[in-house]
Amino acid sequence: MSITQDEARKQLHERGLRVTAPRVAVLRVLAETETPLSHTEVLERLGDAGWDPATIYRNLVKLRDAGVAPVVSRAEGIDRYALAGSRDDGHRHPHFACEDCGRVACLPAELTASMSVDGAWATSVQKAMVQLRGECPECLERAGEAPR
Ligand SMILES: [Zn+2]
Ligand SMILES: [Zn+2]
């Protein structure tokens, strides 16, 4: 789901955030990708437009704090951000981190539906960041095609 400059501006306005060029750029990259991205991955996608990495980082944090782009994955200690509005469930689903290619993908929420519990742990489990690690289907396929 890519968004226009105007849509990005509107989203910032709605959250009471000041509209700045880096903020709009970060928002558009996150909207385009839909899956969670790290600071480095956002920079990669922004390309060589000359963005200062520290500025981009500050804006990611700002978007995170405003609830626009929460951290939804923490594979290998790396925070990955995703637009809360890019998925109906706000990315409250498990994510899969590939140990081979390093990408983080969204998995269907049904995978953890059986984990829902009553009692003391109910809210904790509901809010927990579920992260699976292993090899993604593409890497498995590549490995099968060209065994080393
Ligand atoms: Zn992979
Ligand atoms: Zn997700």
Side-chain angles (χ1 to χ4, degrees), residues 56 69 87:
I56 297 305
R87 298 286 171 127

Side-chain angles (χ1 to χ4, degrees), residues 3-72:
I3 57 170
T4 63
Q5 297 265 9
D6 282 342
E7 282 164 343
R9 280 200 193 97
K10 204 176 138 239
Q11 284 196 28
L12 291 170
H13 265 306
E14 280 168 1
R15 296 287 183 145
L17 289 170
R18 214 152 44 82
V19 176
T20 63
R23 228 163 260 177
V24 169
V26 168
L27 204 62
R28 292 188 70 191
V29 165
L30 290 174
E32 216 165 80
T33 320
E34 288 182 40
T35 54
L37 295 178
S38 66
H39 173 226
T40 312
E41 288 163 343
V42 169
L43 282 174
E44 276 166 14
R45 280 170 176 76
L46 282 171
D48 10 292
W51 297 104
D52 172 35
T55 305
I56 297 305
Y57 182 71
R58 270 200 308 275
N59 281 287
L60 271 173
V61 168
K62 196 84 185 166
L63 292 172
R64 179 199 69 192
D65 291 348
V68 179
V71 170
V72 297

Side-chain angles (χ1 to χ4, degrees), residues 24-132:
V24 169
V26 168
L27 204 62
R28 292 188 70 191
V29 165
L30 290 174
E32 216 165 80
T33 320
E34 288 182 40
T35 54
L37 295 178
S38 66
H39 173 226
T40 312
E41 288 163 343
V42 169
L43 282 174
E44 276 166 14
R45 280 170 176 76
L46 282 171
D48 10 292
W51 297 104
D52 172 35
T55 305
I56 297 305
Y57 182 71
R58 270 200 308 275
N59 281 287
L60 271 173
V61 168
K62 196 84 185 166
L63 292 172
R64 179 199 69 192
D65 291 348
V68 179
V71 170
V72 297
S73 158
R74 258 187 204 123
E76 317 285 335
I78 299 171
D79 283 358
R80 280 190 170 76
Y81 308 79
L83 279 195
S86 68
R87 298 286 171 127
D88 288 342
D89 62 2
H91 287 274
R92 288 264 180 89
H93 46 225
H95 289 95
F96 191 99
C98 179
E99 289 171 336
D100 203 343
C101 67
R103 77 186 175 112
V104 170
C106 299
L107 294 175
E110 294 94 86
L111 275 176
T112 45
S114 60
M115 281 173 64
S116 71
V117 290
D118 293 324
W121 286 94
T123 310
S124 303
V125 169
Q126 210 175 51
K127 296 180 112 177
M129 210 180 273
V130 179
Q131 182 103 353
L132 300 175

